[in-house]
Amino acid sequence: MQQYIPGAESPENTQMAKAAYDQFMKVLEQDPKNPVAIASVASLYLNQKKWNDAQQWYEKLTAVDPSNADAYYSLVLSPGRGGIPAYGTARANLGMKQEDPGPIKDKKVKEALKAEYGSVIAGGLQALDKALQINPDYDDAMAYENC
């Protein structure tokens, strides 16, 4: 997995990711609750921008290792990154620039985004709360929660 380069789209790099995945699956065949292998598969999917797969594996990790603050924090990252383009697209479609402050003012667009992503955001906030309960000094989680 250390040889895989996130973001590099070459066939060789894709093969590195597959080889790493295959090795982690061999570990999981022998030890289905191995937290290192589960976390590694989740991280691999996150780095490949396979948001739904990453989400599922981080959920498995929280089930196997409920005291893992990183797993809860990572639950925020996988769906959150998937939803960011929709927010940016909505802002762009309304003529808003990246530097424009504040929330979207168009109520219809705002409500549509809320309807589609509201539960994802609520779940993310719950995951952040859990990460901070486990580790009250978790800087990344505190910074994300204050966004």
Side-chain angles (χ1 to χ4, degrees):
M1 186 166 138
Q2 291 179 346
Q3 294 175 353
Y4 169 72
I5 302 166
E9 301 296 328
S10 71
E12 296 84 9
N13 197 45
T14 301
Q15 184 56 38
M16 282 294 172
K18 184 179 178 342
Y21 174 84
D22 291 345
Q23 291 303 310
F24 293 129
M25 295 312 290
K26 285 181 183 179
V27 171
L28 291 168
E29 285 173 14
Q30 295 178 9
D31 181 6
K33 294 184 178 185
N34 184 299
V36 174
I38 293 170
S40 297
V41 171
S43 177
L44 190 60
Y45 278 134
L46 187 66
N47 286 326
Q48 292 177 305
K49 299 180 182 177
K50 295 180 178 179
W51 312 123
N52 292 333
D53 293 325
Q55 173 90 16
Q56 291 172 1
W57 282 89
Y58 282 118
E59 287 172 357
K60 288 179 187 182
L61 183 56
T62 61
V64 168
D65 186 5
S67 65
N68 187 326
D70 290 333
Y72 287 100
Y73 175 71
S74 296
L75 278 171
V76 176
L77 298 178
S78 50
R81 289 184 180 171
I84 290 171
Y87 179 74
T89 299
R91 287 176 56 91
N93 288 344
L94 292 169
M96 295 176 74
K97 295 184 175 110
Q98 205 169 18
E99 62 273 6
D100 288 345
I104 292 174
K105 292 182 178 31
D106 184 302
K107 286 188 178 191
K108 280 187 178 181
V109 172
K110 192 175 184 178
E111 288 303 315
L113 286 169
K114 189 176 179 180
E116 188 167 352
Y117 296 102
S119 64
V120 172
I121 293 167
L125 290 172
Q126 288 175 343
L128 283 175
D129 286 344
K130 183 68 176 174
L132 288 169
Q133 286 172 12
I134 295 166
N135 179 0
D137 297 323
Y138 198 150
D139 290 340
D140 288 342
M142 284 188 280
Y144 207 106
E145 191 170 59
N146 290 325
C147 288

